[in-house]
Amino acid sequence: MTKKCLVIGASSFIGVYVVDALLDAGYEVVGTGRNRRFAGHYRKLGVEYIPLDLNDPSGTGALPTDFDFVAHLAGRLPANSAFDLSTEDDAAEYIRTNALGTALLLEWARKNGVRRIVSTTSYADVQNSWSASEPVREDWPRDFRLDGDHAAYVISKNASADLLFYYNEQYGMRNCVFRLPPVYGCGPHGSLRVNGAVKKSGIGLFVDKAKVGEDITVFGDADAAVRDIVYVKDVAQAFVKAGESESASGLYNIGSGRAVSLREQAEAIAEVFSGAAGTSEVCVDETRPNGIQPYSFDISRAACDFGYAPAFADFRDLMADWKVEEERGVMPALFDATLKPSGGLLD
């Protein structure tokens, strides 16, 4: 019997890679999204692509119903939000899309006998407890910031996760929620929004400098600034494995399982992306803070329950595969043509 998966948010960064991983695993895939330009891409892959806006309560009525599980990756993200919190607030938009959208999807799944949704939540749900000494675990109580441009987003993702867990208890579903650190990979990483203003991303700046042989400067204590970073292909494989697991249910940390320092990141990027212009030198300016709060992830629960084992835990391997995907050209062409740093939805 053919395995089938519905990917909500197939036009998102992670969603595109999840679709690829599912196809490689032999799934028949149906994808949804708001961006109609992805229809041609998916047509070539034999993937049905259905327009869907989670802000429309009637949208799920057009969905097919015969699926083994749902990968839910649509949502409103701070990196794409144009709101400046000094003049207006977008909390209602986050709740409408991320929480209410999940509630509508869950009820559709329950009524149609779909027993599992695999979705995501923010790693900032325990941000106040991050440290360099103790990896983040799933049993930690929530402890997050109630200020800044990520606060409303975290609240909405917490509500989404709680709804998924509620349907597990109330209706016997086996929903899974992945707590993700920053997810890297070839895709829309050139810029992001911080409190509504477009800024060049740190990773994008490092890669750009490495390609032309310019020095890469990192700030603060570049060795103490450590964090867990996960590759998008590892996340995609986690979706496939959790979707197929008999026992998977609840919250899972999906990371690399190791903390990589700011210096290591810069050195790996300089090495991987060096070219004819020469290899970039990594310089440290200790007079300026880097703003990084250190943390790492304990990924043992995901390893135990559904065999999660990141293939790109080494940051250099991550960046090397990023370069391969960039040179292959599919992802850059897809996202360069579709991503606009405005609005607030990436689905």
Side-chain angles (χ1 to χ4, degrees), residues 21 25 32 63 79 85 114 128 171 177 200 207 229 240 264 306 318 321 331:
T32 78
L63 296 176
L85 294 183
V114 180
N128 290 338
Y171 300 112
V177 175
K200 188 74 176 179
V207 169
I229 295 168
V240 176
E264 288 177 284
F306 52 87
L318 183 163
D321 198 75
M331 296 301 177

Side-chain angles (χ1 to χ4, degrees), residues 187-203:
H189 288 289
S191 63
L192 71 163
R193 286 183 179 266
V194 178
N195 198 27
V198 177
K199 295 188 176 182
K200 188 74 176 179
S201 68
I203 186 70

Side-chain angles (χ1 to χ4, degrees), residues 218-293:
V218 294
F219 302 134
D221 189 334
D223 297 305
V226 298
R227 55 181 183 162
D228 198 320
I229 295 168
V230 67
Y231 191 45
V232 65
K233 289 185 180 180
D234 285 330
V235 174
Q237 287 299 327
F239 269 88
V240 176
K241 290 180 178 180
E244 294 180 340
S245 170
E246 292 294 327
S247 60
S249 179
L251 178 65
Y252 294 96
N253 292 330
I254 302 297
S256 68
R258 64 184 297 266
V260 59
S261 73
L262 188 59
R263 186 194 299 273
E264 288 177 284
Q265 293 173 57
E267 289 176 346
I269 291 169
E271 179 185 350
V272 169
F273 283 93
S274 63
T279 302
S280 300
E281 293 292 329
V282 176
C283 308
V284 179
D285 180 355
E286 296 183 354
T287 66
R288 296 177 60 182
N290 55 53
I292 292 176
Q293 185 179 351

